[in-house]
Amino acid sequence: MNIKEIKLHQLLMNMKNPFTTSFGTQQDRFITIIEAVDENGLSGFGECVSGEDPLYSEEFMDASLIAMKKYFGPLLLQNEIKHPDDVWELFKPFKRNNMAKAGIEGAVWDLYAKQHDIPLSKLLGGTKSEVEVGVSLGLEETDELLLEKIAEKVDEGYKRIKVKIKPGRDVEMIRTIRRKFKDIPLMVDANSAYTLDDIDTLKELDQFKLMMIEQPLAAGDLIEHAKLQRQLKTPVCLDESIDSYEAAAGAIELGSCRIINVKVGRVGGLTQAKKIHDLAKAHHIPLWCGGMLEAGVGRLHNIAITTLGNFTLPGDTASSSRYWYEDIITPEVNAENGVVKVSHKPGIGAEVDFDKMKQYLKKTDVLTKEDTPDMIFYD
Ligand SMILES: O=C(O)CCC(=O)C1=CC=C[C@@H](O)[C@@H]1C(=O)O
Ligand SMILES: [Mg+2]
């Protein structure tokens, strides 16, 4: 593929509203857009989705930037890549840092698709021409405010509503929601806020016909989630726990969940996401594509992976306008009545708009073939 340079565009984007989960509230999003440029000046784009602080997972953007500059960017520039699947193999000796790996790998996937003049969705083996999407709503100060947000999103036609829960904002809040919205497709996401000591509370959620309970327990608790799933009617969906193909295989084997939220960054990129897709399909575990409050590049990668057949449940890839006054891509991602049309254009299917991006741009680091991995270890 002969990539001649990699640019790390570091953006600070301000979200329209604060977003509150069980682990905190944010309104600024620190995003890195990775641009891989080939010898003809063609660019492919990826997005690193690491959090600003290591509260969702152990990754955080400052560390991911170091990893991309010290290791993953130079490694890619120093090695011949024939297909995007080679990137995972190249990065394999380096432990974890999945979101940094995925950001670089995503740019390679987009570049390769553009070099071969095919949509990224087709390159991944996707079959859909449109995808159904839902929306994720943060915790609000009051249940009344949350009801207003839900009504707004239901009116916009989103195919499912996801709300955050945490101890003290769970059973009664969901009861209030169900009193007003008896039959909407509704799910909850706990972001690991509970333990098996809370089993009675979690079992009370069974009465509300929820689509799923996402990540009730800690990320590493596959056995505890299996114990919980055996006591719940409602499907458990895992997010933070599924940080690799092996974790997905373990969770399926143990019965830790009945649904998996696939996040491309969390699992290390599109190659691993495809592998998890095929494994889950073989075991009749439905998937949906979760979100990490992405800008447009990440949203388009999410749309592309969602075109694979076993992504059967609406994901978190709502319209760009859900979070951003102005996204960095043209056209923006737009869900009409909860449906996003898949672009037929090559690659991610929309242009990165540098005029719009520059309002958020803090810094761009450029890596060239002069840059070698900055390592103590040697073979
Ligand atoms: O709209 C989106 O991008 C999904 C937002 C969302 O629910 C999450 C984003 C990032 C981490 C978590 O807080 C949470 C999730 O767990 O899915
Ligand atoms: Mg989640």
Side-chain angles (χ1 to χ4, degrees):
M1 287 183 67
N2 199 356
I3 296 164
K4 73 173 176 49
E5 67 179 8
I6 291 173
K7 298 178 182 175
L8 304 176
H9 303 291
Q10 296 141 62
L11 315 181
L12 191 58
M13 296 180 76
N14 182 264
M15 295 156 64
K16 283 179 173 174
N17 300 297
F19 187 77
T20 300
T21 65
S22 62
F23 57 76
T25 299
Q26 70 181 97
Q27 190 155 4
D28 286 337
R29 188 76 178 95
F30 182 7
I31 284 171
T32 301
I33 299 297
I34 295 94
E35 179 181 4
V37 190
D38 73 7
E39 74 280 6
N40 301 316
L42 187 63
S43 290
F45 294 92
E47 181 169 328
C48 179
V49 298
S50 301
E52 295 70 15
D53 305 308
L55 296 173
Y56 164 77
S57 72
E58 83 284 0
E59 296 194 76
F60 59 104
M61 193 57 80
D62 290 339
S64 298
L65 273 166
I66 292 171
M68 290 189 283
K69 285 187 274 191
K70 264 173 82 81
Y71 307 117
F72 305 126
L75 266 173
L76 186 67
L77 288 159
Q78 299 300 325
N79 289 276
E80 176 57 26
I81 295 290
K82 291 194 170 31
H83 185 277
D85 281 334
D86 299 343
V87 179
W88 175 258
E89 288 309 312
L90 179 65
F91 292 170
K92 218 171 178 179
F94 296 77
K95 301 302 180 274
R96 303 192 63 80
N97 289 283
N98 278 351
M99 293 175 182
K101 292 173 179 175
I104 301 266
E105 187 225 52
V108 174
W109 272 101
D110 182 32
L111 179 58
Y112 185 92
K114 285 168 179 168
Q115 287 175 340
H116 293 78
D117 199 27
I118 54 173
L120 177 58
S121 58
K122 289 268 175 299
L123 180 62
L124 292 168
T127 52
K128 301 174 195 166
S129 57
E130 60 186 34
V131 295
E132 293 196 341
V133 294
V135 64
S136 174
L137 298 175
L139 282 163
E140 294 292 341
E141 286 290 311
T142 65
D143 291 355
E144 288 64 34
L145 270 173
L146 182 59
L147 290 175
E148 284 171 24
K149 293 271 190 224
I150 293 172
E152 191 185 297
K153 299 307 174 194
V154 169
D155 288 349
E156 289 175 31
Y158 282 106
K159 298 301 181 191
R160 70 97 165 102
I161 300 290
K162 162 170 151 179
V163 297
K164 297 292 179 176
I165 59 170
K166 66 179 187 181
R169 298 293 301 280
D170 44 37
V171 175
E172 288 319 309
M173 184 175 81
I174 304 304
R175 195 190 314 280
T176 302
I177 293 173
R178 272 300 189 218
R179 228 180 257 125
K180 181 154 186 198
F181 300 101
K182 286 181 181 42
D183 300 314
I184 59 166
L186 179 66
M187 64 170 284
V188 296
D189 184 0
N191 290 107
S192 303
Y194 298 87
T195 69
L196 280 180
D197 294 343
D198 303 305
I199 190 123
D200 293 340
T201 300
L202 294 168
K203 285 165 87 168
E204 272 198 84
L205 293 172
D206 259 347
Q207 66 186 296
F208 297 121
K209 291 184 300 177
L210 296 172
M211 296 171 74
M212 64 193 91
I213 300 173
E214 185 181 349
Q215 201 65 45
L217 312 178
D221 289 354
L222 291 187
I223 292 173
E224 289 77 0
H225 275 107
K227 287 178 185 166
L228 174 65
Q229 180 64 96
R230 285 196 289 272
Q231 299 188 56
L232 287 181
K233 289 196 307 261
T234 309
V236 168
C237 169
L238 292 179
D239 171 353
E240 289 89 331
S241 291
I242 310 300
D243 58 6
S244 65
Y245 171 82
E246 292 73 15
I252 293 169
E253 175 78 21
L254 289 168
S256 309
C257 62
R258 293 188 199 139
I259 299 170
I260 292 177
N261 163 352
V262 172
K263 291 184 176 179
V264 176
R266 186 195 70 221
V267 301
L270 288 165
T271 296
Q272 293 306 297
K274 271 167 57 71
K275 248 186 103 176
I276 291 170
H277 168 272
D278 297 348
L279 175 76
K281 184 175 179 184
H283 290 83
H284 313 293
I285 298 284
L287 304 176
W288 52 280
C289 182
M292 289 294 289
L293 311 172
E294 291 93 345
V297 171
R299 307 189 92 75
L300 290 169
H301 278 271
N302 290 348
I303 296 292
I305 196 72
T306 303
T307 64
L308 271 65
N310 194 42
F311 282 86
T312 53
L313 295 168
D316 280 344
T317 315
S319 301
S320 294
S321 59
R322 156 81 180 100
Y323 292 117
W324 314 119
Y325 293 106
E326 190 170 59
D327 202 347
I328 61 168
I329 56 169
T330 301
E332 295 194 349
V333 170
N334 185 36
E336 294 281 345
N337 198 25
V339 174
V340 176
K341 294 215 177 313
V342 181
S343 170
H344 302 298
K345 291 188 188 140
I348 54 176
E351 296 303 316
V352 170
D353 187 323
F354 283 83
D355 285 339
K356 295 203 283 188
M357 189 164 88
K358 69 172 179 280
Q359 64 188 304
Y360 309 119
L361 185 61
K362 295 298 167 208
K363 186 181 180 217
T364 295
D365 288 309
V366 181
L367 303 171
T368 68
K369 292 219 184 266
E370 309 306 308
D371 293 295
T372 54
D374 171 10
M375 296 178 63
I376 292 287
F377 280 80
Y378 53 87
D379 284 338

